[in-house]
Amino acid sequence: MVFSSISFICFFLPCLFICYFLIPSQFRRARNGVLLFFSLIFYACGGPKFLFLMLVSISVNYICGLFASYRFSRYVRIFAVAAAVIIGIGLLGYFKYAGFFTEIINNLGAGFPVPEITLPIGISFYTFQGLSYVIDVYRGDAEVQKNPFKTALYIALFPQLVAGPIVRYSTVEREITERRETVEEISEGIVRFIFGLAKKMILANSMGEIADAVFKQEAGIMPGSLAVLGALAYTAQIYFDFSAYSDMAIGLGRIFGFHFLENFDYPYISKSVTEFWRRWHISLSSWFRDYVYIPLGGSYCSPARHILICS
């Protein structure tokens, strides 16, 4: 299920609105329960067999988060973070790259069967979110969450599940229990969602049709101007597609009282590759900066290591 589908707009979203807003705002736990239940249904609709995988990821990050807090010794906390990273990245790497690496090994003469693996929807996003929670607890940047249902709501929250943005626990930590859904916020969220939906349906899909039509032509007889048109159309498509889903996610989050950070900042007006990286998928680039690049030494390490962590 995607945000632009008829099933989401005409059935899933209205049912969620009714069940969620019929509950008085003072019953925050009940509203959170409804939001978590519908988030799990949303994920199950996209891949029922992978719902168990998400629940495993939630459980691992919840347990590791408990042991990563300052209540335990340094070695226990380090082990908890290491376990979360190894399990999370291990599952992500298996589903994304097991088939790829098997084919490479087979090209070298091996005869291993290539596994037919279907990539779980949103596995990158909820994996990174879960890891950011555990690491932030370890660093002391966030309080440990002892309620497993609140941890599950943070990781499984459906607006940002499919295409981001990656939401850090510190961003929504307080809003999980203390947010307010006002008429003004709901109306702004609906407008933002409609804006993103229009961007997806009108701009991204139109650019996609142009790019597909161009790329179907034989490369040997394709005029150079047509190739340029196809490249420009595809460039516009991927931007409007990604940013549209971010707009819809931010709008949906606003409707339910969550304030997600912006994810795109006009990347195609960038004057350098570095600036483009900072403007394109901001949540992903900042995640790698704060949880991978800087902890490994950043630009203050040796040139060899700098090349390694940047590659």
Side-chain angles (χ1 to χ4, degrees):
M1 187 189 303
V2 294
F3 297 154
S4 57
S5 65
I6 297 297
S7 58
F8 178 82
I9 296 174
C10 296
F11 297 101
F12 180 88
L13 208 52
C15 290
L16 173 57
F17 281 176
I18 294 172
C19 294
Y20 186 87
F21 288 107
L22 278 180
I23 301 174
S25 59
Q26 59 266 31
F27 297 104
R28 178 58 55 197
R29 290 184 179 180
R31 282 193 170 185
N32 283 347
V34 169
L35 200 53
L36 175 58
F37 176 74
F38 273 86
S39 294
L40 295 177
I41 289 179
F42 177 86
Y43 191 76
C45 289
K49 62 181 180 180
F50 294 122
L51 180 59
F52 176 74
L53 179 64
M54 169 179 275
L55 296 177
V56 168
S57 178
I58 292 172
S59 301
V60 168
N61 287 293
Y62 170 72
I63 295 172
C64 291
L66 292 177
F67 287 98
S69 66
Y70 281 100
R71 296 173 51 201
F72 297 91
S73 67
R74 180 172 177 268
Y75 295 104
V76 172
R77 293 167 55 224
I78 291 176
F79 179 81
V81 174
V85 171
I86 292 172
I87 295 174
I89 299 300
L91 289 173
L92 177 62
Y94 171 77
F95 282 99
K96 295 197 72 170
Y97 302 113
F100 172 73
F101 284 115
T102 302
E103 290 181 354
I104 292 179
I105 295 174
N106 287 343
N107 290 335
L108 298 176
F112 297 109
V114 179
E116 296 182 3
I117 301 174
T118 303
L119 184 65
I121 299 173
I123 186 173
S124 298
F125 296 102
Y126 69 72
T127 297
F128 291 152
Q129 289 196 178
L131 291 179
S132 72
Y133 162 69
V134 176
I135 295 172
D136 283 349
V137 170
Y138 172 80
R139 291 174 174 175
D141 296 334
E143 294 291 332
V144 62
Q145 180 55 256
K146 298 180 181 180
N147 188 328
F149 295 103
K150 292 181 180 179
T151 305
L153 177 61
Y154 160 67
I155 295 177
L157 191 60
F158 80 91
Q160 40 68 40
L161 187 61
V162 175
I166 299 173
V167 180
R168 302 189 189 186
Y169 182 70
S170 57
T171 303
V172 297
E173 178 180 5
R174 179 170 296 181
E175 292 179 336
I176 291 177
T177 55
E178 300 179 7
R179 67 187 183 277
R180 294 181 57 193
E181 304 90 343
T182 64
V183 174
E184 181 180 0
E185 292 275 354
I186 293 172
S187 62
E188 290 180 358
I190 292 174
V191 170
R192 184 67 179 268
F193 177 82
I194 294 175
F195 178 79
L197 181 63
K199 185 189 291 185
K200 164 65 178 173
M201 301 302 294
I202 299 175
L203 297 177
N205 288 358
S206 298
M207 293 296 102
E209 290 182 1
I210 296 174
D212 290 342
V214 172
F215 294 152
K216 287 180 181 178
Q217 306 295 320
E218 293 186 17
I221 60 174
M222 183 187 301
S225 57
L226 186 60
V228 172
L229 175 63
L232 292 176
Y234 183 69
T235 301
Q237 178 197 0
I238 58 175
Y239 167 69
F240 288 129
D241 202 33
F242 275 114
S243 63
Y245 275 106
S246 291
D247 287 335
M248 288 188 279
I250 292 171
L252 288 169
R254 184 71 62 86
I255 291 172
F256 297 105
F258 293 96
H259 295 80
F260 303 153
L261 301 179
E262 295 294 333
N263 205 27
F264 288 87
D265 184 20
Y266 303 100
Y268 287 154
I269 67 172
S270 302
K271 298 179 181 179
S272 65
V273 175
T274 302
E275 185 181 357
F276 179 85
W277 174 251
R278 292 172 180 170
R279 290 172 175 267
W280 178 277
H281 216 312
I282 299 171
S283 63
L284 180 62
S285 59
S286 62
W287 192 96
F288 276 101
R289 179 196 65 203
D290 296 339
Y291 294 103
V292 179
Y293 180 70
I294 293 178
L296 291 178
S299 59
Y300 296 98
C301 58
S302 64
R305 187 177 180 187
H306 181 68
I307 294 172
L308 176 63
I309 63 178
C310 287
S311 60

